[in-house]
Amino acid sequence: MNNKFYIHIVVLMLIQLFILNNIQVNHYVIVNIYILAIFILPFNICRAILPIIGFVLGLIVDLSIGTLGINASAATFIAFLRPQLIKLSINQPSINESELKRFNNSWSFLKYILISILIFNTIFVFIEAFSFENILNSILRIILSSVTDTILISIYYFIALKENNNKF
Amino acid sequence: MKEIFNLILRFQSTLIFFVLEIIALCLIVSNNDYQNSVFSDKTSAVSGFLSKKSISIINYLSLKNENLSLIKENIKLKNELDNIIITKEDTLFQKFNSTNYFYRTANIISISYNRSRNYIIIDKGKKDGILPEMAVVSNQGIVGVIKSTSNNFSIIIPLINLSLKISAKIKKNDYYGTLQWGAKNYRYSNLEDIPFHVDVNKGDTIVTSGFSSIFPKGELIGFVEKVEHKTANFLKIKVRLANDFKKGGSLYVIENLNSDEINKIKKNNEQ
């Protein structure tokens, strides 16, 4: 997956822009699959570029749905936290090659995705609400969106990436 | 320098992250109506609070100046008040048409009314700025003209003096004549030189004509008591004087502030 991550970024962005942005499930569910593009970035990527990638991807999605800055800020945040979240999810202070291979196939990757999606949706929902009033409503939106995102991202991951990864 | 550069390199991702987040927040606030309204609501509340506080602090700090200016104003107003009281007791300043007249009060010291040439003496003189040929009125009507002054006293020729002639007119139709006392009764005087065709009735008002520089125009002299055809061409009108000379009270000496100018013109004309 490391070699073809840019193809998957393009595909994920196209799915997001042309399919998911046009689907209005309901008020509580916001579907964002493009953040998987941030999760599948190579591990050895420069840390300084990570927030920039997140910002650009979020901004493109924002431009297509007219919520300038909301997706960008949330995506920048999870992209910036990516190295720390990976370390947290595999319980290791440093990551070596063998562990990374195991990470790609293991339960800890799902854990990383889950935490990231939760953070992303938390930021997304609170910036969209822009206040802490109606906090129960906001939490419900976070949970439902996170569940939906996790399911969709897992489906995409297991269809398009997992097999590929096994071959690799 | 190198250490600073290293520090920046070490935290470059954090730095970039914060810059991008700030950009994103700016975009959110400037481009999304709802977030913009909430943000401006909050910021305006904060700025309103701050400006309110700062204004109250500034006001408090400027209390000293405020006090000083209030004290100044107070003193000014007090002075003006004193002036007003003095003016009321002593003098009155009035604007009369386009001519300025300055009023001074005076009290009668002695008065005679049973001679043919009566005089009144008042308790104001040169010291108080009283000069000959000033007009004297009471609150009832005109009294007379200052004849001569000493330092502290002045002599008035009242209307009830044979030697005083005043230009007077009938108020309702502006015909003017000469008022001269008849030396009979201190309550009555005579208005002469009014043409016989003039319509005069009992009770008509006689006022000063204002042709001399002494009396202001329109000061009350008296009321028509009786109209007689003395000669073929002129009427003789008996006038009941408005001012009762047996009645005491303070008098007002009127200074015509323009009399110097008027006299100058008259002199020039004579030359």
Side-chain angles (χ1 to χ4, degrees), chain B residues 114-131:
Chain B
N114 50 9
R115 299 176 206 157
S116 60
R117 292 176 201 278
N118 298 301
Y119 292 101
I120 301 172
I121 300 173
I122 55 168
D123 63 351
K124 294 268 165 75
K126 277 179 194 164
K127 269 187 184 173
D128 308 290
I130 289 172
L131 296 167

Side-chain angles (χ1 to χ4, degrees), chain B residues 202-214:
Chain B
K202 188 185 174 184
D204 287 347
T205 309
I206 308 295
V207 295
T208 51
S209 67
F211 289 158
S212 71
S213 62
I214 298 170

Side-chain angles (χ1 to χ4, degrees), chain B residues 225-243:
Chain B
E225 182 73 18
K226 209 165 88 184
V227 183
E228 287 175 11
H229 289 268
K230 188 188 172 190
T231 60
N233 293 330
F234 296 102
L235 299 172
K236 183 186 176 186
I237 300 165
K238 195 177 180 186
V239 177
R240 182 165 52 83
L241 295 172
N243 185 50

Side-chain angles (χ1 to χ4, degrees), chain A residues 97-115:
Chain A
E97 282 296 314
S98 60
E99 276 168 344
L100 280 179
K101 271 186 183 172
R102 216 178 66 209
F103 173 72
N104 278 339
N105 303 312
S106 69
W107 184 247
S108 52
F109 183 68
L110 204 65
K111 215 161 78 182
Y112 159 65
I113 286 176
L114 214 67
I115 296 166

Side-chain angles (χ1 to χ4, degrees), chain A residues 46-48 51-52 55 59 66-70 72-74 76-77 80 127-131, chain B residues 12-18 20-21 23-25 27-29 31-32 34-36 38-39 42:
Chain A
C46 177
R47 282 181 66 171
I52 297 172
F55 183 78
L59 202 66
T67 57
L68 214 59
I70 297 176
S73 59
T76 310
F77 198 81
F80 171 71
I127 285 178
E128 204 178 49
F130 220 67
S131 74
Chain B
Q12 57 176 327
S13 64
T14 317
L15 214 68
I16 290 165
F17 163 70
F18 277 116
L20 290 174
E21 283 292 352
I23 291 169
L25 281 174
L27 286 173
I28 290 166
V29 170
N31 288 296
N32 298 285
Y34 167 68
Q35 277 84 354
N36 187 16
V38 173
F39 186 75
K42 293 277 190 296

